[in-house]
Amino acid sequence: MNSELKSLYQEVIIDHSKRPRNFKKIDNFNKEAEGFNPLCGDRLNLYLKTDGNKIIDASFQGQGCAISTASASMLTEIIKGKSVDEALKLFEMFHALVTTGGAPKDETQLGKLAVFAGVHEFPARVKCASLSWHTLKMALLNKTDVAKTE
Amino acid sequence: MKSISKIREDFPILKAQVNDKTLVYLDNAATTQKPKTVIEAINNYYQNQNSNVHRGVHSLSQLATQKYESTREIVKNFIVAKSTDEIIFTRGTTESINLIAQSYGRSFLNAGDEIIISQMEHHSNIVPWQILCGQISVKLKVIDVTDSGELNLKSLEKLLSDKTKIVSLMHVSNTLGTINPIKEIIKIIKNFNKDIIVSIDGAQAVQHLKVNVLDLGCDFYSFSGHKIYGPTGVGVLYGKRELLNKMPPWQGGGDMIASVSFDKTTYNILPYKFEAGTPNIAGVIGLGEAIKYVQNLGLDFIYEQEKKLLDYAFRKLSQIKEVKIIGQAKEKSAVISFILKDIHAHDVGTILDQSGVAIRAGHHCTQPLMERFNVPATVRASFAFYNTEEEVDNLIDGIKKTLEIFK
């Protein structure tokens, strides 16, 4: 396996794609959004429970490739406990990471999400990694249309 | 007979490097590669012959016109039409079907009439009819596909009624490779009512099989240049002369008129009536060369060669227990769709691409068919006569590598 492939399909990503965390519809969610990638058919629903400005719980359901499933799974883990502003800032950092491969100055902010840096070598797969994050943004901003990465 | 290695030399791109590996091109159902003769004909036109057609009195325009029209003759002979008047150049199969729907459909169908298509159709043989349904309140009826990926002819017989006005079906499935028994199907339809119009989408057929539109008995037959080793942006609509004659133009502009005034505009004769605007002249010339290339190799040779590749790939893929092949029709062209355990087709596609192997991953513009088989996407390997068993082995190695990564 070449190094680009190795960095794309890291063990953490494979693990989350096979055993996605928070893969359910949580009770009492108060925000939700649907993400759809018309080009490849990846589809997900994201459910959030917020209290004021804080995200208390997050989950998702849907179908997609390993990259989009792992991304959604890790998203639901990392945003729990974050404020809406922090989550939106994470969106910006994650987007920069998968499009340029560059991490923010303070790498600790991205935490586990840094494993997605390899995606930028695969322009066709950026949309897979970012679908759940676009969906998160829609949910947080209370937008009602379907999130698309195109 | 030319050897495959000699034939491969006709296609410059087959030497290309992709991700530091020699390209293994197994996406021929999406588009085929172009032989040198086609590339050179297009180059030569732009370098030495570029001029508009059907207008100029100057020599270049006459030469361009003669080249452009000679392709019409080549196409006529290739699909065994009665006359060059029956050969309309379009942008491709999609535009051909839209032309049928908008010109014939909109003029001759009435509210409540029915159009029959099938569950395996490409979106380009679904959506033009849906648009027509929205415009004039006609209804779309859909023939089932069996578990093996064949048209359910009993379902067709049930759907035929006195309301049926058009049946539009694909000759060969781009997703499953199924070769539909089109001649037999047309017989069933015409025996039921000879006035039902039959339109055949031949985008995946003419590059693999001998097509004789008179023998088939269809009213319309469409195909694309780029899937038969020609350029993109050019295609053909064959239509029976008496139908084309009574159909109104569907686009207005230059070339399709006889005379224009603000009181009364009259239209050109066939086939120009349906070719508004300056056409894709270089594309049409390239298409002529592509068909000549296919005729020189011979469709019997092409069929045999591709059948060997299909059988080899089928055998090799069947040996991998994680592979499930979707579509196991008795008569198949060299297309294999499959899923690999629970690994998404896009992940398979990315990993294969890193080995230089180009396949298609996705729904192949046949979402209703994907739904029929209850899969979001498949991996599709589609072969052309220039592919080799070694290339099939590269595909198999890539699949094993994918299984290793996802183990």
Side-chain angles (χ1 to χ4, degrees):
Chain A
M1 194 185 356
N2 63 25
S3 59
E4 285 89 356
L5 267 188
K6 249 184 215 150
S7 80
L8 181 64
Y9 291 108
Q10 297 196 31
E11 263 176 50
V12 175
I13 292 180
I14 300 283
D15 177 56
H16 274 266
S17 77
K18 286 185 166 176
R19 286 170 288 275
R21 321 296 196 263
N22 306 308
F23 192 76
K24 62 189 173 193
K25 189 173 181 174
I26 45 173
D27 296 330
N28 310 322
F29 62 88
N30 57 351
K31 287 182 194 295
E32 67 168 317
E34 187 187 357
F36 178 53
N37 189 335
L39 218 62
C40 61
D42 285 1
R43 190 183 280 281
L44 67 90
N45 289 79
L46 188 70
Y47 307 100
L48 302 175
K49 191 173 171 188
T50 57
D51 183 6
N53 197 34
K54 198 166 182 181
I55 302 165
I56 299 170
D57 205 357
S59 74
F60 81 105
Q61 285 180 318
Q63 58 177 25
C65 64
I67 307 296
S68 79
T69 305
S71 170
S73 168
M74 290 173 74
L75 174 147
T76 58
E77 280 194 325
I78 201 162
I79 60 164
K80 263 188 232 180
K82 295 256 187 309
S83 73
V84 170
D85 290 345
E86 284 168 338
L88 290 173
K89 212 173 148 204
L90 260 182
F91 167 87
E92 297 298 336
M93 285 192 285
F94 185 82
H95 198 260
L97 179 77
V98 295
T99 49
T100 68
K105 278 180 199 139
D106 182 6
E107 282 185 37
T108 55
Q109 288 177 296
L110 270 172
K112 275 198 214 167
L113 296 177
V115 297
F116 286 97
V119 172
H120 88 280
E121 298 272 7
F122 298 86
R125 307 305 297 276
V126 169
K127 58 184 177 0
C128 312
S130 57
L131 179 63
S132 58
W133 286 90
H134 283 284
T135 312
L136 171 71
K137 200 174 169 183
M138 301 279 283
L140 290 176
L141 301 177
N142 293 317
K143 296 231 171 110
T144 48
D145 47 341
V146 177
K148 291 189 181 101
T149 52
E150 296 308 309
Chain B
M1 183 48 66
K2 247 169 139 176
S3 68
I4 297 301
S5 59
K6 274 272 172 240
I7 286 170
R8 288 179 69 85
E9 285 175 18
D10 294 338
F11 294 81
I13 205 170
L14 296 180
K15 291 196 186 79
Q17 297 288 302
V18 173
N19 294 319
D20 303 321
K21 305 271 171 31
T22 303
L23 170 66
V24 174
Y25 189 76
L26 305 180
D27 196 17
N28 294 286
T31 195
T32 51
Q33 300 302 347
K34 321 305 174 201
K36 271 186 274 188
T37 49
V38 169
I39 299 166
E40 280 161 13
I42 294 167
N43 252 335
N44 186 40
Y45 166 73
Y46 280 126
Q47 283 195 6
N48 303 310
Q49 302 162 343
N50 180 48
S51 194
N52 212 330
V53 291
H54 305 139
R55 309 185 158 69
V57 291
H58 59 81
S59 303
L60 273 194
S61 173
Q62 287 169 33
L63 179 63
T65 304
Q66 180 253 315
K67 288 249 170 194
Y68 179 85
E69 290 302 326
S70 77
T71 295
R72 215 186 292 277
E73 187 73 29
I74 292 169
V75 172
K76 182 208 99 174
N77 295 331
F78 183 58
I79 60 170
V80 203
K82 276 188 193 158
S83 153
T84 48
D85 288 356
E86 300 179 315
I87 307 299
I88 314 289
F89 292 123
T90 63
R91 281 194 299 130
T93 308
T94 298
E95 189 174 74
S96 299
I97 298 172
N98 276 279
L99 193 163
I100 304 167
Q102 288 303 310
S103 174
Y104 184 88
R106 218 168 163 175
S107 309
F108 297 105
L109 267 59
N110 297 303
D113 285 346
E114 292 178 356
I115 297 163
I116 298 177
I117 59 171
S118 88
Q119 220 171 10
M120 69 167 72
E121 299 310 313
H122 190 282
H123 295 162
S124 63
N125 199 20
I126 300 174
V127 184
W129 305 114
Q130 289 177 325
I131 291 173
L132 184 66
C133 289
Q135 289 165 331
I136 58 169
S137 303
V138 290
K139 285 201 186 89
L140 209 52
K141 299 275 164 178
V142 183
I143 302 170
D144 300 337
V145 167
T146 65
D147 290 340
S148 63
E150 293 170 322
L151 289 180
N152 179 355
L153 297 188
K154 287 210 179 77
S155 154
L156 164 67
E157 281 166 19
K158 264 188 222 149
L159 291 177
L160 285 167
S161 78
D162 55 3
K163 289 181 184 154
T164 310
K165 292 291 148 65
I166 297 177
V167 181
S168 191
L169 298 171
M170 62 192 343
H171 195 162
V172 175
S173 163
N174 64 311
T175 303
L176 308 175
T178 310
I179 300 173
N180 290 319
I182 282 302
K183 192 175 169 181
E184 184 191 334
I185 290 171
I186 294 172
K187 223 175 249 166
I188 295 171
I189 297 164
K190 294 286 184 179
N191 279 343
F192 181 83
N193 176 357
K194 67 174 175 34
D195 295 330
I196 294 173
I197 298 298
V198 181
S199 143
I200 303 298
D201 164 359
Q204 299 288 342
V206 287
Q207 66 276 47
H208 302 298
L209 311 165
K210 279 185 181 159
V211 170
N212 177 328
V213 291
L214 286 182
D215 183 54
L216 288 177
C218 56
D219 298 289
F220 295 106
Y221 195 97
S222 310
F223 67 93
S224 297
H226 74 104
K227 294 197 199 281
I228 182 166
Y229 311 99
T232 55
V234 62
V236 169
L237 170 65
Y238 156 81
K240 278 186 183 159
R241 194 208 305 249
E242 55 272 28
L243 287 172
L244 292 174
N245 260 331
K246 68 175 191 179
M247 284 158 58
W250 84 304
Q251 287 179 339
D255 235 21
M256 53 73 69
I257 54 94
S259 70
V260 176
S261 76
F262 290 116
D263 295 328
K264 185 176 168 57
T265 289
T266 55
Y267 305 128
N268 207 336
I269 53 168
L270 286 177
Y272 315 109
K273 184 170 85 174
F274 293 104
E275 293 179 8
T278 296
N280 182 354
I281 304 167
V284 167
I285 292 171
L287 171 62
E289 283 303 320
I291 293 174
K292 274 197 250 171
Y293 185 90
V294 165
Q295 286 173 320
N296 283 338
L297 271 187
L299 277 161
D300 288 331
F301 167 80
I302 290 173
Y303 182 83
E304 285 305 314
Q305 174 62 18
E306 291 176 348
K307 180 92 174 75
K308 268 188 255 172
L309 286 165
L310 176 69
D311 291 346
Y312 183 74
F314 200 91
R315 202 169 69 236
K316 286 279 176 177
L317 281 167
S318 305
Q319 285 164 4
I320 304 174
K321 66 176 192 309
E322 293 87 353
V323 167
K324 186 184 170 202
I325 294 173
I326 310 281
Q328 310 220 9
K330 279 190 275 320
E331 295 293 327
K332 259 178 76 116
S333 78
V335 170
I336 303 184
S337 254
F338 61 93
I339 49 176
L340 192 57
K341 229 173 46 177
D342 51 356
I343 306 171
H344 196 279
H346 288 106
D347 296 310
V348 183
T350 293
I351 296 167
L352 287 173
D353 181 53
Q354 288 297 305
S355 311
V357 180
I359 49 87
R360 172 84 188 262
H363 54 59
H364 320 294
C365 296
T366 54
Q367 284 181 359
L369 185 65
M370 294 286 111
E371 205 168 300
R372 158 70 180 79
F373 284 100
N374 203 19
V375 290
T378 69
V379 180
R380 180 187 69 186
S382 52
F383 306 96
F385 53 78
Y386 46 58
N387 290 124
T388 63
E389 291 189 355
E390 291 74 50
E391 290 182 313
V392 175
D393 293 339
N394 290 329
L395 168 70
I396 300 296
D397 290 346
I399 290 169
K400 287 180 178 160
K401 189 192 272 180
T402 309
L403 286 169
E404 184 62 26
I405 290 173
F406 279 86
K407 79 167 183 279

